[in-house]
Amino acid sequence: MPETASPAEIDYAAELIRAGRLVAFPTETVYGLGANALDAEAVARIYAVKRRPVTSPLIVHAASIEMAKSLVAEWPEGAERLAQRFWPGPLTLVLKKQSAIPDIVTAGLATVAVRMPAHPVSLALIRAARLPVAAPSANRFTELSPTTADHVRESLGSEVDLILNGGPCQVGIESTVLSLAGREPVLLRPGIIARMVLEAIIGPVATLADCGSGPHPSPGLHPRHYSPRTPLYLATNGELPDENQGRGRGLYLRHSNAPSRANPAITTRQMPQSAADYGAALYEALHQADRGNYNWIAVDLPPGTPEWEAIQDRLQRAATK
Ligand code: AMP
Ligand code: MG
């Protein structure tokens, strides 16, 4: 199977999108399950295949800043600055939506999440379809996001009309989601583009928890998410949770200087030193754990410094029971 979809395959995929069908495709973050964002019935199929509650809004993918602007009612100066700096790339902006976007895409919210992905296959697909493409990650709801075409096949298989291959995802965790729809910018989901990097461009960025009472600005922030099937425990200072000792085979994702294990029932995998490399390796390591029939996974929690915010977030959610 070729590593990357051919131009002919991409054109065929674009025809499927235009016909209201579902196409899984690579982005630089994770693989997406895409449909025509302006076709409510096609988008409804995304929710059905993923078993995703309709209260969880989708990200709409655009091939240019122009296309993104056509989806929103307001394009504030901060959006322009961030798009110029980070697009195409792993940053999603939440903005007031245009009425042409069906309610099912945004879970009935008056805002829409938009992003211009950097993977050449996703850009070529959206350009060929000449349509914005709504796409969540191509996995069942709450499960681990796919970072290879094989992961998509294993999770959704025959329920998708076509899976485009684009090799392993370079970023490996989901995009940073930033709302610019309210009075102050709010970080809805941390990602590899870190909060302080955004703040250097647009000033202070609030956290969802700082927003106090009132309606939740972002549905779909389920505490359990991004989870492997194998139970995942967080380890601190290389201490594996007591309950794991002696309970079958374990996979230990070791961070930098944590002590190594001599226990033959425990397989140790050394994780990368930098947050970016760690993000790129994390889901593949967790998918491998699921395939390898381990009884448990223990992961050293990386440092609490700002550049690790997104990795910490994913690990905390993956570990939530
Ligand atoms: P996913 O596509 O599953 O990787 O996740 C999409 C993320 O974007 C979730 O965290 C959503 O809650 C968030 N999101 C999408 N649309 C909106 C919106 N209109 N307002 C706030 N958050 C959104
Ligand atoms: Mg997802």
Side-chain angles (χ1 to χ4, degrees):
M1 141 92 44
E3 262 295 89
T4 289
S6 66
E9 259 186 291
I10 293 171
D11 284 344
Y12 175 58
E15 277 174 40
L16 290 178
I17 294 280
R18 291 190 68 81
R21 313 275 293 273
L22 299 188
V23 174
F25 63 98
T27 81
E28 79 280 26
T29 60
V30 303
Y31 275 69
L33 179 60
N36 175 0
L38 305 179
D39 178 342
E41 265 176 51
V43 173
R45 292 190 57 216
I46 294 180
Y47 285 91
V49 167
K50 278 188 62 94
R51 323 271 194 266
R52 180 174 171 121
V54 290
T55 49
S56 188
L58 307 181
I59 295 171
V60 180
H61 294 73
S64 64
I65 293 181
E66 269 42 70
M67 189 188 268
K69 281 184 177 168
S70 76
L71 304 170
V72 302
E74 283 173 18
W75 183 253
E77 201 213 323
E80 179 66 22
R81 285 216 292 269
L82 292 170
Q84 291 291 347
R85 171 73 179 75
F86 294 112
W87 284 4
L91 175 66
T92 297
L93 299 176
V94 172
L95 296 158
K96 298 212 169 69
K97 83 176 185 87
Q98 262 316 337
S99 53
I101 299 170
D103 282 341
I104 189 166
V105 172
T106 65
L109 294 170
T111 55
V112 62
V114 290
R115 168 168 115 81
M116 180 178 172
H119 196 293
V121 172
S122 37
L123 287 174
L125 172 66
I126 302 163
R127 272 189 208 119
R130 304 188 307 282
L131 286 167
V133 173
S137 53
N139 54 283
R140 303 256 189 237
F141 184 62
T142 78
E143 289 181 1
L144 205 49
S145 294
T147 56
T148 66
D150 276 342
H151 296 160
V152 181
R153 218 166 281 119
E154 285 159 20
S155 163
L156 303 180
S158 57
E159 292 186 66
V160 182
D161 296 311
L162 182 72
I163 301 172
L164 289 176
N165 198 346
C169 300
Q170 302 289 303
V171 173
I173 61 170
E174 303 80 2
S175 59
T176 305
V177 180
L178 180 76
S179 171
L180 296 176
R183 258 173 310 173
E184 53 179 352
V186 181
L187 186 66
L188 299 177
R189 176 170 73 187
I192 267 329
I193 298 180
R195 175 199 306 267
M196 57 190 176
V197 175
L198 300 173
E199 287 184 328
I201 295 174
I202 53 161
V205 169
T207 302
L208 203 49
D210 305 336
C211 295
S213 53
H216 224 247
S218 182
L221 299 170
H222 294 255
R224 181 179 166 87
H225 211 144
Y226 317 115
S227 304
R229 289 189 301 276
T230 314
L232 185 149
Y233 302 93
L234 298 176
T236 36
N237 305 322
E239 291 284 320
L240 305 193
D242 283 346
E243 53 189 312
N244 287 336
Q245 308 301 334
R247 272 187 45 215
R249 296 171 60 235
L251 178 70
Y252 170 40
L253 303 185
R254 177 171 178 260
H255 184 68
S256 49
N257 299 323
S260 51
R261 331 295 306 180
N263 186 336
I266 300 175
T267 304
T268 299
R269 184 172 163 156
Q270 180 67 50
M271 295 300 283
Q273 289 280 345
S274 79
D277 293 345
Y278 193 110
L282 177 61
Y283 288 166
E284 176 56 31
L286 297 180
H287 278 290
Q288 276 183 20
D290 277 347
R291 283 181 187 148
N293 296 315
Y294 290 98
N295 301 91
W296 51 269
I297 309 166
V299 188
D300 282 320
L301 206 54
T305 47
E307 68 273 24
W308 289 93
E309 186 178 2
I311 308 284
Q312 288 243 357
D313 171 75
R314 301 308 188 276
L315 288 174
Q316 303 277 8
R317 290 173 195 269
T320 305
K321 293 291 141 354

